[in-house]
Amino acid sequence: MREIAFDEVRDTIARLCVDANCEIPADVVTALEKSIRSEESPAGREILGQLVENAKIARAERLPACQDTGWAVVWVELGAEVRITGGILPEAINAGVARGYTEGYLRKSIVADPLRRKNTGDNTPAVIYTDIVPGDRLRLTVQPKGGGSENMSEIRMLSAADGEQGIKDFVVDRVARSRANPCPPVIVGVGLGGPFDKCAQLAKKSLLREIGSVHPDPFYARLEAELLERINRLGIGPQGLGGRGTALAVFIEAFPCHIATMPCAVNINCHAARHRSATL
């Protein structure tokens, strides 16, 4: 059994919160630069150039790339041979989020109650998803998720009779109704299957994939490509000002489902697609 100290988890999470907000992933910047070359709209090219410049300034000056520094969504791969000492894992993660958002001067966006709206003051609690995996390692991924893109997300309990066409129509329609609100070009996460809650989780987890990656199942790789093409024909364009660059990628994650159901969730990410990982 390998022991990992509470303080090490806390400090790692704190660092990841700051790094994720200040350092836009390289695959995202590369995709934005590629989009400039293919964008037909002059306004769209200008916006894309500004997004690339913003990402470079944020990294160089250690500033948040966006004023909405998001809800701290934390994905945990906990080795079965790992034991946390000095406290429990969720408390270490929340302590790290509180430290990272406070000492990193990141905006605190979380209210303690949906109706009474009092801010928690330190961006906790984190949303934590944990998978138990073989081995003696702990992998932590912090995924700051902004409110603007989250508001454009949706789940629909389709029926098996809706089929592939029903899924494609729903996903494209969800992006079309979003217009400029999620700060396009967006990354579109799609969850298929599972019960209601699992489907939404799949959609969010898909957003951790690297832009340019291809789904290992050729069936879903084809479906991702078809959806991306349809979405980019909507004409919404960068920041909603028109053009081809409405989405950088569409990612699908599928899971078994009940014979009477076919849930489909869409979780939209803004162009920044912030996330950062570390393995202890």
Side-chain angles (χ1 to χ4, degrees):
M1 183 66 68
R2 178 166 173 259
E3 295 184 347
I4 299 177
F6 178 101
D7 290 356
E8 185 176 3
V9 175
R10 178 199 62 204
D11 294 349
T12 299
I13 289 290
R15 173 174 55 82
L16 292 176
C17 287
V18 177
D19 289 350
N21 274 289
C22 297
E23 300 178 11
I24 302 303
D27 62 303
V28 177
V29 177
T30 298
L32 290 170
E33 291 173 334
K34 183 179 178 181
S35 294
I36 295 174
R37 297 191 292 271
S38 61
E39 180 55 65
E40 298 172 351
S41 162
R45 289 195 298 271
E46 176 67 22
I47 290 294
L48 291 166
Q50 291 177 4
L51 296 179
V52 171
E53 181 181 11
N54 179 71
K56 291 179 178 178
I57 292 172
R59 177 180 289 268
E61 300 190 13
R62 299 294 292 169
L63 296 170
C66 176
Q67 52 84 24
D68 183 353
T69 53
W71 196 322
V73 179
V74 181
W75 301 88
V76 178
E77 293 181 14
L78 177 64
E81 299 173 38
V82 170
R83 184 170 74 91
I84 307 301
T85 61
I88 63 173
L89 183 58
E91 289 181 357
I93 290 172
N94 278 303
V97 170
R99 173 172 290 188
Y101 274 77
T102 300
E103 296 181 357
Y105 300 101
L106 305 176
R107 194 183 83 181
K108 289 83 173 175
S109 303
I110 305 307
V111 294
D113 183 90
L115 291 177
R116 287 169 285 191
R117 312 299 289 182
K118 182 179 180 181
N119 198 295
T120 64
D122 59 9
N123 220 62
T124 64
V127 176
I128 304 171
Y129 296 110
T130 304
D131 287 325
I132 307 298
V133 299
D136 63 354
R137 293 290 184 267
L138 171 63
R139 182 169 175 81
L140 301 166
T141 299
V142 173
Q143 180 189 34
K145 191 65 170 65
S149 60
E150 196 73 357
N151 281 341
M152 297 300 106
S153 302
E154 186 175 350
I155 187 168
R156 186 168 294 178
M157 303 305 289
L158 300 171
S159 71
D162 291 313
E164 181 180 326
Q165 191 62 47
I167 290 168
K168 289 192 287 190
D169 290 345
F170 167 55
V171 174
V172 174
D173 177 66
R174 177 61 268 177
V175 178
R177 286 184 284 121
S178 300
R179 302 302 298 175
N181 290 302
C183 295
V186 297
I187 296 91
V188 182
V190 180
L192 295 175
F196 180 89
D197 52 330
K198 179 68 175 179
C199 189
Q201 181 188 350
L202 290 168
K204 182 168 265 88
K205 190 173 185 179
S206 74
L207 297 172
L208 297 176
R209 278 177 51 190
E210 183 175 328
I211 295 176
S213 65
V214 178
H215 199 288
D217 185 334
F219 175 83
Y220 285 114
R222 173 190 59 80
L223 186 54
E224 288 176 347
E226 289 182 12
L227 284 167
L228 182 61
E229 182 181 358
R230 281 188 59 179
I231 288 168
N232 282 330
R233 289 203 305 263
L234 292 172
I236 296 170
Q239 296 300 297
L241 296 178
R244 293 176 53 84
T246 300
L248 297 175
V250 175
F251 295 136
I252 297 173
E253 291 293 329
F255 195 80
C257 66
H258 189 282
I259 57 173
T261 70
M262 193 174 72
C264 179
V266 177
N267 195 213
I268 296 179
N269 215 351
C270 68
H271 68 275
R274 298 165 295 184
H275 55 87
R276 198 65 179 263
S277 301
T279 301
L280 304 179

